[in-house]
Amino acid sequence: MKYLQSKLLILVGVLLGLTEVQAQQLPSSSKRTHQDVPFVQEYSIKYYSDEQSSGLEKVYADRNGTVQILGSKGLYRTHAGAFLYPGSFTPDKTYLAMKDKNVVSIATVEDQFVYLDDKAVFSNAWAGSLYLKHELPGAVHFAHGEDFTFLVSDGSNIHLVNQEGVVYKGKISGSPVIGISYDMATGRYLLLAENKVMAFSAASKKLQTLTEGSGFTSFVVREGKNKLAVATTDGYFEWDLLADKKVGAKNNALPWPSLTSLTEINGLLWFGSERGAFMQKEDGGFNYYYGERWLPGDKVLHISQKNEDEVLVLTDKGLGKLVFMSQTLAEKAAYYGEQVRERHIRHGFNSTLTSMEKGNMDTGRLADSDNDGLWTSMYLGGEAFRYAATGSADALQNVKESLDALERLYTINPVKGFPSRSFFRSGYIEKLADPDRWQHASDKEWDWKATTSSDEVIGHVFVFAVIAELVDNEALRKQAIGLLDQLMTHIVENDWYLIDYDGKHTTWGRWNPEYVNGFPTMVGDRKLNSSNIIAMLQTAYHFTGKEVYKKEAYMLMEKHGYLENLMRPMEVIGKAQEGSDDWAAMLSESWNHSDDEMYFMGYWGLYRYAFTDELKEKYRLAIQDHWESERPEKDGLWNIFGALVDRENFDLEEAVWYLQEHPLDMISWNTANSHRKDIKLLEQNFREQTTDVVLPPDELMIRRHNGNRFTLDGGNGGGQEYSAGDIWLLPYWMGRYLGVISDPLTK
């Protein structure tokens, strides 16, 4: 399989391959399940240049896999370099005699390096027998035709050379030649100038102008299509080489239309531009490679193919080697699992590696977070699902370690049933954000973080329930249920508030009817807090059997309208009406994606542990209503939660798309898309949806599920590496547990 072919062609092969798999391995079922066969996963290996390797021009690889880069100071090779560990350039000293050659251009013929200097076209391949003097001391461009015949140009002259010597000399009028190619179908050399395309027949020795224009920068013969694609500073157009006429109109609806380079790889056009590289897919859309997730620099100078699954993209600051490998979702999960354990576990918490120097993970530190409890709950939930789906002893150990971390959030502070946000060894508070939140523990070695919010609480309740239900380890079940009971007892006994060390409720830990129903009906917190607290009470009742939780839940639903609140359609949610208080106005300025995360974390307990079938049906309708409003974002986790309530009607393909398209590189590189000309921008709206169709995760900045997936620009220059624990592993392993993603199928 050629992994650089479009995803469409790959999927065709996958679907054809599934026929036998489905017949032999899959149980008969009407339920929708993604069969986990290998797909194409992209990643980049970057090589940065320095002042010594300046003036970069072209990059090629030969049949041996050797990569050579041409710069103004000579030839270079790549040194070291691996995924997440950038390499560099080093002068190529392979052939000692090459240092005396004034190499001005490089190409490949039959996958061997061929060079142009001020005297000849030559190569070190073919036993060094290729050496053709061209008699153009100022030569800068050349192209191979047939039978080792080359056309050479210094911009204003052309010489046709072969083993017999220079067999033709001619002049070019007007703008100088900036590129030469060869069309085997017509037997013509094609010459590009800034304002025209010309054709030279090696047989008749005639030169003709095919088309004129302006701003031409690069061109490529489309093999087997009898077309020439011409790049300009404002898009590209195609030329019919048989009919010698333009094909259609110029296309400038591109990620960035100021083009610098153009090539064809496996039948697909690859564009270099002032702002990154992009590949045109079979459906006309583009895969966009922009920013340091993919490339060392923004301005692309040259693109070439290394082999069937690697593309070389040379930029003004170095080389990006794009690798297209085959893997299953299960293999991707294994990689992410290692990423979490190697670099993102802090005292059992699922943490972010921060304070990095431009993507260098060895310079980072594990940071505390206001949401240590939430991010850890989400990772811990994924590991519990992994254990339930596979019986992995490793997953069970991970569950134990992270559950111990969550338990210590309760025991490190003096308030019974109150979960701290985080904890840290003492003496470092001054170096951390929000020092006023930190409190000293009774053990002087430790400090703990107060002001816990509802985000953490719903995350805790979610994962305590998942462990209690799915992990067949009595000690862990008892531990999870005990923590759940402590937390909910605290909330019930404190009149639906989370009470901090100072005896006051926290800013966000409020589920009291006076607070909740004080919001106008269109303010999301009224619906959200009602939904969350009912889910929490149902969960507590389900696992403890304590009637107080059931009694209080019905009281809130029947006396205070919490059932009506949580059933309110999402289309009603919006900005508070004129005259509302400042708090309501602030909370409803725009759609809150953290709220979405809290809703869905609560839906596990709301739906799964419903008191009655009648309530369960009501909850199903409310969950599906919310899911419908979230569908444009194609968030993998929300779509997997959709399968919780309806296995037949949820966006399975979009969930898999999210999981497959998510970048392996979890570093917070800067990304930008708002400049793109191939996307449709929407008017400003309450949901902050910027485009009609959401872009793939690997073209956007890394974000958690509480971020707006329609945010086009962002990042912090590679200062952080996020954990895949909550972002990717939770939806994947939840999908595996629910049976909507199969075990890996490699046949």
Side-chain angles (χ1 to χ4, degrees):
M1 180 186 293
K2 292 185 176 181
Y3 297 127
L4 300 184
Q5 295 287 356
S6 71
K7 301 293 178 66
L8 178 61
L9 293 178
I10 292 165
L11 288 175
V12 168
V14 167
L15 291 173
L16 291 174
L18 275 182
T19 303
E20 181 179 356
V21 172
Q22 290 174 328
Q24 295 183 5
Q25 297 186 29
L26 302 180
S28 59
S29 172
S30 62
K31 295 180 179 179
R32 298 171 62 212
T33 300
H34 168 72
Q35 306 309 320
D36 188 17
V37 296
F39 65 96
V40 175
Q41 176 68 58
E42 303 154 277
Y43 65 90
S44 174
I45 300 175
K46 291 165 291 198
Y47 303 85
Y48 286 86
S49 59
D50 55 25
E51 293 181 1
Q52 301 302 314
S53 53
S54 59
L56 304 178
E57 298 176 20
K58 293 183 178 180
V59 60
Y60 284 102
D62 69 2
R63 64 183 298 271
N64 302 313
T66 301
V67 175
Q68 278 192 333
I69 303 100
L70 175 64
S72 59
K73 297 181 181 179
L75 294 169
Y76 301 91
R77 299 183 69 164
T78 55
H79 171 68
F83 178 54
L84 299 179
Y85 295 92
S88 59
F89 287 2
T90 186
D92 191 332
K93 301 178 182 178
T94 308
Y95 287 90
L96 186 61
M98 291 292 288
K99 71 176 184 177
D100 297 325
K101 301 290 186 182
N102 180 28
V103 177
V104 294
S105 190
I106 182 175
T108 55
V109 175
E110 297 178 359
D111 292 326
Q112 302 282 9
F113 292 128
V114 178
Y115 309 99
L116 176 71
D117 71 0
D118 53 353
K119 296 181 179 64
V121 174
F122 68 98
S123 177
N124 293 312
W126 304 289
S129 61
L130 179 65
Y131 190 85
L132 308 176
K133 293 183 178 181
H134 54 65
E135 300 179 11
L136 275 176
V140 287
H141 304 291
F142 77 124
H144 171 250
E146 297 180 43
D147 299 325
F148 289 95
T149 299
F150 293 83
L151 188 66
V152 181
S153 176
D154 62 0
S156 57
N157 298 282
I158 55 173
H159 286 190
L160 189 67
V161 301
N162 58 26
Q163 298 289 354
E164 298 176 1
V166 178
V167 296
Y168 173 82
K169 296 181 180 181
K171 293 190 71 65
I172 303 295
S173 61
S175 298
V177 171
I178 59 175
I180 308 176
S181 188
Y182 183 73
D183 176 30
M184 293 184 61
T186 61
R188 299 184 298 182
Y189 289 92
L190 302 168
L191 298 94
L192 182 70
E194 185 275 334
N195 62 349
K196 60 184 174 181
V197 178
M198 298 161 282
F200 173 74
S201 170
S204 67
K205 307 298 189 294
K206 290 183 178 180
L207 179 71
Q208 66 179 120
T209 297
L210 298 182
T211 185
E212 295 183 289
S214 63
F216 299 168
T217 59
S218 181
F219 67 169
V220 64
V221 174
R222 305 206 67 184
E223 298 294 342
K225 299 181 176 67
N226 298 315
K227 290 180 181 179
L228 180 73
V230 181
T232 78
T233 55
D234 185 33
Y236 82 102
F237 65 90
E238 292 190 314
W239 183 264
D240 189 322
L241 289 169
L242 295 182
D244 275 343
K245 65 179 182 180
K246 192 174 183 180
V247 180
K250 183 169 68 173
N251 181 3
N252 58 10
L254 309 174
W256 191 243
S258 183
L259 303 176
T260 57
S261 177
L262 184 60
T263 192
E264 185 177 62
I265 299 175
N266 292 337
L268 302 174
L269 284 176
W270 281 77
F271 302 82
S273 79
E274 297 282 350
R275 295 190 177 185
F278 39 96
M279 179 195 75
Q280 189 172 44
K281 299 183 290 186
E282 290 280 338
D283 62 6
F286 298 93
N287 282 351
Y288 191 29
Y289 306 96
Y290 181 51
E292 286 192 83
R293 175 179 299 150
W294 302 110
L295 307 174
D298 293 341
K299 183 177 181 180
V300 174
L301 306 173
H302 186 233
I303 302 174
S304 65
Q305 183 175 9
K306 184 174 185 287
N307 51 44
E308 285 191 339
D309 52 12
E310 293 180 349
V311 170
L312 304 174
V313 182
L314 187 66
T315 76
D316 55 343
K317 295 182 180 179
L319 174 67
K321 182 170 71 174
L322 305 181
V323 182
F324 299 75
M325 69 174 180
S326 173
Q327 69 173 181
T328 61
L329 287 176
E331 289 170 329
K332 192 170 184 176
Y335 166 77
Y336 278 146
E338 291 178 1
Q339 184 246 19
V340 175
R341 301 311 300 183
E342 288 178 1
R343 298 194 293 275
H344 294 279
I345 299 299
R346 183 185 73 86
H347 301 313
F349 292 127
N350 175 44
S351 301
T352 300
L353 197 64
T354 190
S355 301
M356 289 163 38
E357 298 174 5
K358 198 179 179 181
N360 184 345
M361 296 172 298
D362 294 334
T363 64
R365 69 171 178 86
L366 287 170
D368 74 283
S369 165
D370 278 3
N371 289 325
D372 270 346
L374 176 58
W375 309 142
T376 303
S377 294
M378 296 175 77
Y379 166 63
L380 180 50
E383 289 301 282
F385 287 129
R386 177 160 80 105
Y387 176 73
T390 68
S392 165
D394 178 64
L396 186 65
Q397 180 62 27
N398 294 343
V399 168
K400 182 182 186 307
E401 292 178 11
S402 288
L403 184 58
D404 285 346
L406 290 188
E407 181 175 45
R408 196 167 186 220
L409 291 175
Y410 291 81
T411 60
I412 200 169
N413 72 72
V415 184
K416 186 176 181 180
F418 180 86
S420 311
R421 283 187 181 271
S422 184
F423 55 79
F424 213 93
R425 291 191 183 275
S426 61
Y428 291 88
I429 293 177
E430 292 75 18
K431 301 178 183 179
L432 302 172
D434 301 320
D436 292 341
R437 299 188 183 192
W438 287 91
Q439 304 298 317
H440 296 302
S442 57
D443 182 345
K444 294 182 179 180
E445 177 69 14
W446 295 94
D447 295 320
W448 62 278
K449 204 172 193 178
T451 71
T452 306
S453 78
S454 51
D455 303 58
E456 288 78 65
V457 171
I458 193 62
H460 287 204
V461 172
F462 161 73
V463 78
F464 294 156
V466 171
I467 293 171
E469 180 181 353
L470 304 182
V471 177
D472 58 354
N473 180 290
E474 191 56 34
L476 293 177
R477 290 188 71 256
K478 183 177 180 181
Q479 184 180 7
I481 294 171
L483 292 172
L484 171 65
D485 192 26
Q486 288 182 46
L487 172 61
M488 293 310 299
T489 297
H490 175 99
I491 293 172
V492 171
E493 291 183 349
N494 285 289
D495 198 21
W496 312 109
Y497 290 110
L498 201 60
I499 302 300
D500 215 331
Y501 70 97
D502 57 3
K504 300 177 181 179
H505 64 71
T506 65
T507 301
W508 301 109
R510 294 190 271 180
W511 302 270
N512 183 279
E514 183 178 356
Y515 172 76
V516 170
N517 289 332
F519 290 114
T521 55
M522 76 285 297
V523 175
D525 284 56
R526 180 166 178 159
K527 175 181 172 70
L528 170 65
N529 287 28
S530 298
S531 178
N532 273 186
I533 192 63
I534 298 304
M536 290 153 58
L537 288 166
Q538 286 186 159
T539 302
Y541 173 74
H542 181 85
F543 290 105
T544 69
K546 293 183 177 181
E547 286 295 329
V548 63
Y549 296 131
K550 185 175 185 179
K551 174 186 174 184
E552 295 296 329
Y554 272 105
M555 181 273 294
L556 292 175
M557 287 192 288
E558 294 173 351
K559 182 178 179 181
H560 296 287
Y562 277 31
L563 180 59
E564 179 184 353
N565 287 344
L566 70 87
M567 290 295 297
R568 189 164 290 113
M570 278 293 173
E571 65 180 8
V572 175
I573 305 303
K575 290 179 180 273
Q577 70 265 39
E578 192 80 21
S580 297
D581 61 50
D582 292 343
W583 189 249
M586 181 275 292
L587 289 175
S588 62
E589 287 177 346
S590 62
W591 194 264
N592 190 322
H593 296 271
S594 287
D595 287 357
D596 291 327
E597 188 168 61
M598 294 172 64
Y599 275 116
F600 279 97
M601 289 296 99
Y603 288 157
W604 180 268
L606 187 70
Y607 181 78
R608 206 163 177 93
Y609 312 127
F611 292 132
T612 67
D613 289 342
E614 180 182 5
L615 281 174
K616 193 169 191 176
E617 177 60 18
K618 290 179 181 292
Y619 300 152
R620 182 185 68 80
L621 295 174
I623 294 169
Q624 286 189 316
D625 172 70
H626 186 189
W627 171 75
E628 285 284 351
S629 70
E630 294 298 316
R631 293 180 75 179
E633 293 199 28
K634 298 184 181 181
D635 183 278
L637 185 55
W638 306 162
N639 281 317
I640 295 297
F641 265 107
L644 179 68
V645 298
D646 191 339
R647 277 290 303 271
E648 297 301 313
N649 299 293
F650 74 104
D651 288 341
L652 175 61
E653 293 79 11
E654 284 74 9
V656 172
W657 173 85
Y658 171 93
L659 294 171
Q660 291 183 343
E661 292 285 338
H662 204 282
L664 286 179
D665 184 339
M666 300 287 285
I667 295 174
S668 58
W669 296 114
N670 291 340
T671 60
N673 292 282
S674 56
H675 62 276
R676 294 174 63 163
K677 308 302 180 185
D678 65 322
I679 59 177
K680 180 181 179 181
L681 298 177
L682 304 181
E683 295 292 329
Q684 187 173 359
N685 53 78
F686 178 70
R687 289 194 65 96
E688 298 182 329
Q689 181 173 339
T690 56
T691 55
D692 58 338
V693 178
V694 71
L695 294 173
D698 61 2
E699 295 179 14
L700 300 168
M701 66 177 178
I702 300 295
R703 70 196 70 205
R704 289 187 156 100
H705 298 288
N706 64 341
N708 179 8
R709 296 205 58 251
F710 282 98
T711 301
L712 296 175
D713 306 333
N716 69 354
Q720 294 178 314
E721 186 191 49
Y722 285 88
S723 167
D726 51 296
I727 295 174
W728 198 94
L729 290 173
L730 174 58
Y732 170 74
W733 285 114
M734 186 176 180
R736 283 284 300 273
Y737 168 72
L738 292 176
V740 298
I741 299 173
S742 77
D743 292 350
L745 303 175
T746 56
K747 290 187 179 180

